[in-house]
């Protein structure tokens, strides 16, 4: 009953074309991205290597001392498989220096801080290499708000923000992401033993089926129940989408003039490109 | 007459008139070199599509020097091209011009401005108010701009006004990924051009742009469709292309003999019924 199977050749063509076109039109030839060892960034680095040439893609692995060592090994494996430039910048010194002043900080604060630390590094590497930061958040994460605002959600261009996790798996197979990366359990790897699905309370497969119907097809709750989705599941997911909407928007601006940015001062980002 | 049409599947830059004019002139030169008689460009070829507040900044009045240059080139090849037009009373239209033998021979202002989903045209543009066929050296033509074609009445009116060739200038955003090897928008357009040609016993020349604007792709796939509904030739999907299509008068003649639906179309009946519907719905 899955409606989430797609033609991967066509999807690949569109996303590779997107990276090439949107990077090159701003007068840049390179991309930089964080490579976590997970599947999302692995897929993006494969697409970027195809679009820009592997020599023009800088992948940065940014482990913290509690990160699973397997993550860095997988990041290295992925970088080697697609031939991009690879470097490791540990974030332990910066993150620990900060939390020395706040030793009681919980996992969420620490996880968000790590994600934002990585963001600052990527944007600095962007300046270093003259490369645009490529985002690695998929549509499932973006809709659920399962990401850190101004952290892993920050980028210049996001090739996979309109494809669900289920599509990420399919496309990763098609472009040749190493099998061990495709098959392992998705994890933000912010603390030991964390997995996405455990933390979310449902599987990506299930939530993708629901989100596709809810968001893409705009089905009503009654239709979703008739399709076999539990009402509590629908409510939980709908609430997550609504409550995380702020993460998908620019900061709200108090309007006082006649022409306010993004309200009645409207231009495409590709203005003049 | 038999003639060769070129479909210039270009990638305009958003809001860059001068760059786009260069792109257009290069394609026109190529069309002349390759002995095409007519060259089609996409909708808003001179400006790009998601203009938003740029609309007034890139609009041209009909006496603009940019248009004069294209008019001059039309001494060598007929040109159909899309742009933003500004009128003396400062209305802005999504306009298609048909240039032939050094003159503007026809102007069509997009009537159906999509304002739903990813589209927002009516916020920025004024609506055209007519569909008119016109005579050219290739017989009687009709012009449509993208969304116009999705309204059955539009190509119907042009065909009833005698058009045997429909020129459709398009900036169609690609969307709707599925298991199919075509995007939903590609499949839908291909059904539409084929069906329109078949119903109206008319050729359809469809020119769609390529490139990306703010992550939205334009899928290309420009095509020349015979009056039988069969695509004679198609442009690349997602890539720039320059498509040449040879159009035979004999093919049009034979199709009109085999399938004389347009001959048999009852204009008076249609008008009578539409008038009745209008009257009843305004009560």
């Amino acid at each position: 009953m899955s409606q989430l199977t797609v033609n991967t050749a066509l999807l690949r063509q569109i996303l590779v074309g997107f990276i090439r076109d949107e990077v090159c039109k701003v007068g840049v030839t390179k991309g930089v991205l964080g490579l976590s060892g997970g599947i999302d960034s692995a897929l993006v680095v494969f697409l970027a290597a195809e679009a820009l040439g592997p020599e023009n893609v800088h992948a940065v692995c940014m482990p913290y001392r509690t990160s699973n060592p397997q993550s860095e090994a997988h990041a290295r494996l992925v970088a080697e498989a697609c031939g991009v430039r690879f470097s490791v910048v540990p974030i332990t010194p910066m993150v620990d220096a900060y939390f020395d002043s706040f030793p009681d900080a919980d996992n969420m604060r620490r996880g968000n801080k790590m994600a934002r630390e990585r963001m600052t590094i990527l944007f600095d590497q962007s300046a270093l290499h003259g490369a645009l930061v490529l985002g690695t958040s998929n549509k499932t994460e973006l809709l659920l708000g399962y990401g850190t605002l101004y952290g892993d959600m920050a980028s210049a261009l996001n090739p996979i923000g309109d494809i669900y996790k289920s599509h990420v798996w399919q496309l990763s197979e098609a472009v040749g992401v190493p099998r061990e990366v495709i098959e392992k359990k998705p994890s933000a790897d912010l603390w030991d033993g964390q997995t996405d699905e455990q933390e979310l309370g449902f599987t990506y497969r299930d939530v993708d089926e629901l989100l596709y119907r809810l968001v893409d097809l705009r089905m009503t709750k009654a239709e979703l129940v008739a399709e076999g989705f539990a009402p509590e599941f629908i409510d939980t997911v709908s609430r997550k989408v609504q409550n995380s909407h702020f993460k998908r928007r620019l900061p709200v601006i108090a309007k006082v003039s006649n022409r306010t940015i993004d309200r009645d001062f409207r231009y495409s980002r590709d203005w003049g490109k | 007459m038999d003639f060769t049409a070129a479909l210039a599947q270009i990638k305009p830059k958003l809001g860059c008139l001068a760059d786009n004019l260069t792109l257009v002139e290069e394609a026109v030169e190529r069309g002349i070199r390759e002995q095409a008689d007519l060259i089609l460009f996409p909708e808003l070829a001179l400006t790009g599509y998601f203009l938003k507040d740029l609309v007034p900044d890139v609009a041209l009045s009909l006496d603009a020097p940019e248009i004069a240059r294209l008019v001059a080139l039309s001494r060598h090849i007929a040109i159909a091209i899309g742009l933003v037009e500004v009128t003396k009373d400062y209305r802005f239209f999504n306009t298609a011009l048909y240039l032939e033998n050094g003159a503007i021979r026809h102007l069509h202002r997009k009537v159906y401005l999509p304002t739903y989903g990813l589209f927002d045209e009516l916020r920025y543009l004024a609506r055209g108010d007519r569909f008119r066929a016109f005579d050219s050296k290739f017989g009687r033509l009709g012009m449509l701009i993208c969304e116009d074609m999705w309204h059955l009445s539009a190509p119907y009116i042009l065909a009833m006004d005698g058009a045997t060739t429909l020129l459709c200038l398009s900036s169609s955003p690609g969307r709707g990924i599925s298991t199919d090897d075509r995007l939903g928008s590609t499949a839908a357009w291909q059904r539409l051009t084929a069906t329109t040609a078949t119903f109206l016993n008319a050729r359809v020349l469809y020119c769609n742009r390529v490139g990306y604007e703010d992550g939205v792709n334009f899928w290309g796939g420009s095509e020349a469709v015979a009056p039988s509904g069969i695509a004679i030739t198609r442009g690349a999907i997602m890539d720039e292309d320059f498509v040449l299509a040879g159009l035979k008068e004999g093919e049009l003649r034979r199709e009109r003999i085999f399938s004389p639906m347009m001959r048999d179309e009852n204009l008076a009946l249609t008008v009578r019924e539409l008038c009745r519907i209008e009257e009843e719905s305004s009560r």
Side-chain angles (χ1 to χ4, degrees):
Chain A
M1 80 150 187
S2 173
Q3 299 199 16
L4 289 160
T5 310
V6 291
N7 185 302
T8 50
L10 181 59
L11 182 57
R12 181 179 187 169
Q13 184 187 5
I14 295 171
L15 300 186
V16 167
F18 163 82
I19 297 171
R20 189 178 294 137
D21 197 89
E22 296 281 12
V23 168
C24 296
K25 75 165 56 153
V26 298
V28 169
T29 54
K30 295 176 185 167
V32 59
L33 77 163
L35 206 53
S36 67
I39 191 169
D40 298 305
S41 56
L43 173 60
V44 173
V45 80
F46 266 78
L47 296 171
E50 186 173 340
L52 306 172
E55 68 284 5
N56 290 318
V57 179
H58 292 265
V60 189
C61 181
M62 296 167 282
Y64 181 67
R65 62 182 158 78
T66 60
S67 300
N68 187 341
Q70 195 195 46
S71 300
E72 185 180 329
H74 282 164
R76 196 176 293 277
L77 176 74
V78 165
E80 281 167 8
C82 60
V84 298
R85 296 173 193 273
F86 182 73
S87 60
V88 179
V89 180
I91 59 168
T92 307
M94 310 72 133
V95 172
D96 283 357
Y98 176 76
F99 283 113
D100 281 348
S101 307
F102 302 96
D104 300 331
D106 61 13
N107 274 346
M108 189 192 69
R109 283 177 61 195
R110 286 174 190 273
N112 282 338
K113 174 70 179 162
M114 289 176 218
R116 293 186 180 120
E117 200 62 52
R118 293 185 174 114
M119 178 277 293
T120 66
I121 292 167
L122 286 179
F123 277 86
D124 178 60
Q125 296 280 310
S126 158
L128 171 67
H129 298 298
L132 290 190
V133 176
L134 302 177
T136 58
S137 300
N138 63 55
K139 189 172 186 174
T140 312
E141 293 174 332
L142 289 175
L143 285 171
L144 296 174
Y146 192 62
T148 300
L149 182 60
Y150 307 122
D152 52 295
M153 291 176 83
S155 67
L157 300 170
N158 181 352
I160 63 168
D162 200 26
I163 68 173
Y164 289 107
K165 189 78 171 185
S166 304
H167 298 135
V168 169
W169 277 313
Q170 284 170 60
L171 190 55
S172 295
E173 298 257 2
V175 302
V177 171
R179 183 133 300 277
E180 44 272 66
V181 174
I182 296 177
E183 284 174 357
K184 73 174 172 183
K185 278 196 189 327
S187 167
D189 197 21
L190 295 172
W191 56 84
D192 189 36
Q194 183 190 25
T195 73
D196 294 2
E197 295 186 337
Q198 191 184 49
E199 202 178 357
L200 287 165
F202 41 74
T203 67
Y204 277 122
R205 296 274 180 210
D206 287 346
V207 80
D208 281 356
E209 292 289 347
L210 176 58
L211 285 171
Y212 175 73
R213 288 166 176 77
L214 193 66
V215 174
D216 294 66
L217 301 183
R218 297 186 76 156
M219 283 189 176
T220 63
K221 188 174 174 185
E223 288 173 309
L224 293 167
V225 171
E227 291 243 331
F229 293 97
E232 309 74 50
F233 183 39
I234 301 169
D235 291 342
T236 302
V237 170
S238 303
R239 244 190 334 265
K240 276 185 186 292
V241 173
Q242 187 180 346
N243 291 342
S244 63
H245 194 59
F246 72 97
K247 293 188 176 183
R248 295 182 291 269
R249 310 296 303 170
L250 288 175
V252 176
I253 293 174
K255 182 172 177 66
V256 292
S257 78
N258 287 326
R259 249 189 129 199
T260 308
I261 294 159
D262 268 352
R263 186 161 301 278
D264 29 35
F265 175 84
R266 300 186 180 208
Y267 297 90
S268 291
R269 199 168 109 159
D270 285 346
W271 181 2
K273 307 287 185 221
Chain B
M1 65 179 271
D2 294 350
F3 65 99
T4 300
L7 310 173
Q9 189 168 298
I10 59 170
K11 183 166 79 172
K13 281 170 73 173
L14 186 60
C16 302
L17 264 180
D19 291 327
N20 293 330
L21 184 62
T22 303
L23 205 62
V24 164
E25 286 178 330
E26 283 167 3
V28 169
E29 298 294 347
R30 180 170 171 187
I32 295 168
R33 231 174 22 247
E34 303 201 13
Q35 298 184 324
D37 304 290
L38 160 67
I39 185 165
L40 258 74
F41 288 93
E43 171 186 21
L44 298 175
L46 285 180
T47 62
Y49 183 73
F50 287 108
L51 293 163
K52 304 188 184 195
D53 283 356
L54 283 176
V55 162
D57 301 342
V58 298
L60 297 174
S61 60
L62 292 180
D63 56 5
E66 289 88 347
I67 293 178
R69 280 163 67 165
L70 296 175
V71 168
L73 283 169
S74 77
R75 294 184 195 286
H76 312 289
I77 182 171
I79 300 170
I81 188 161
L83 59 135
V84 181
E85 176 203 356
V86 56
T87 56
K88 296 270 185 276
D89 58 350
Y90 299 108
R91 284 179 301 158
F92 300 92
F93 291 97
N94 183 338
T95 292
L97 295 179
Y98 179 81
L99 317 173
E100 185 184 288
N101 289 338
I104 299 176
R105 299 292 295 271
H106 189 74
L107 169 155
H108 171 65
R109 293 170 174 158
K110 189 173 184 177
V111 172
Y112 292 107
L113 301 173
T115 303
Y116 58 81
L118 77 170
F119 302 109
D120 212 5
E121 290 187 34
L122 201 47
R123 180 185 167 89
Y124 304 101
L125 296 157
R127 243 191 297 241
D129 62 0
R130 67 196 62 176
F131 293 106
R132 299 281 162 85
F134 58 98
D135 290 315
S136 78
K137 57 185 169 188
F138 313 110
R140 207 158 161 77
L141 307 180
M143 282 204 294
L144 296 164
I145 304 176
C146 211
E147 187 86 358
D148 286 336
M149 187 123 166
W150 285 89
H151 291 259
L152 263 180
S153 52
Y156 173 81
I157 290 168
L158 292 175
M160 292 310 289
D161 201 15
T164 51
T165 304
L166 300 175
L167 313 182
C168 183
L169 287 63
S170 180
S171 285
S172 169
R175 57 209 189 277
I177 188 100
S178 69
T179 50
D180 195 5
D181 61 359
R182 296 170 300 174
L183 281 171
S185 38
T186 307
W189 265 105
Q190 290 177 353
R191 280 196 302 275
L192 181 65
T193 52
T195 307
T196 302
T198 309
F199 278 167
L200 302 176
N201 317 129
R203 306 177 179 112
V204 174
L205 300 178
Y206 174 72
C207 188
N208 187 28
R209 61 163 289 185
V210 290
Y212 293 74
E213 289 181 3
D214 280 20
V216 178
N217 72 80
F218 297 90
W219 54 273
S222 303
E223 56 182 17
V225 182
S228 60
I230 305 296
I232 303 166
T233 176
R234 279 195 181 135
I237 297 294
M238 308 279 173
D239 281 323
E240 288 161 285
D241 205 349
F242 190 87
V243 180
L244 289 172
L247 300 158
K248 299 267 184 261
E249 190 65 27
E251 198 169 21
L252 177 65
R253 173 179 172 272
R254 289 194 302 278
E255 191 59 33
R256 292 229 157 195
I257 295 168
F258 291 135
S259 311
M261 278 94 76
M262 288 312 290
R263 180 198 68 191
D264 299 343
E265 182 65 22
N266 190 331
L267 181 62
L269 181 154
T270 305
V271 169
R272 195 166 64 240
E273 293 299 328
L274 289 178
C275 288
R276 174 187 62 76
I277 292 164
E278 186 190 29
E279 195 178 312
E280 287 175 5
S281 67
S282 62
R283 270 182 206 153

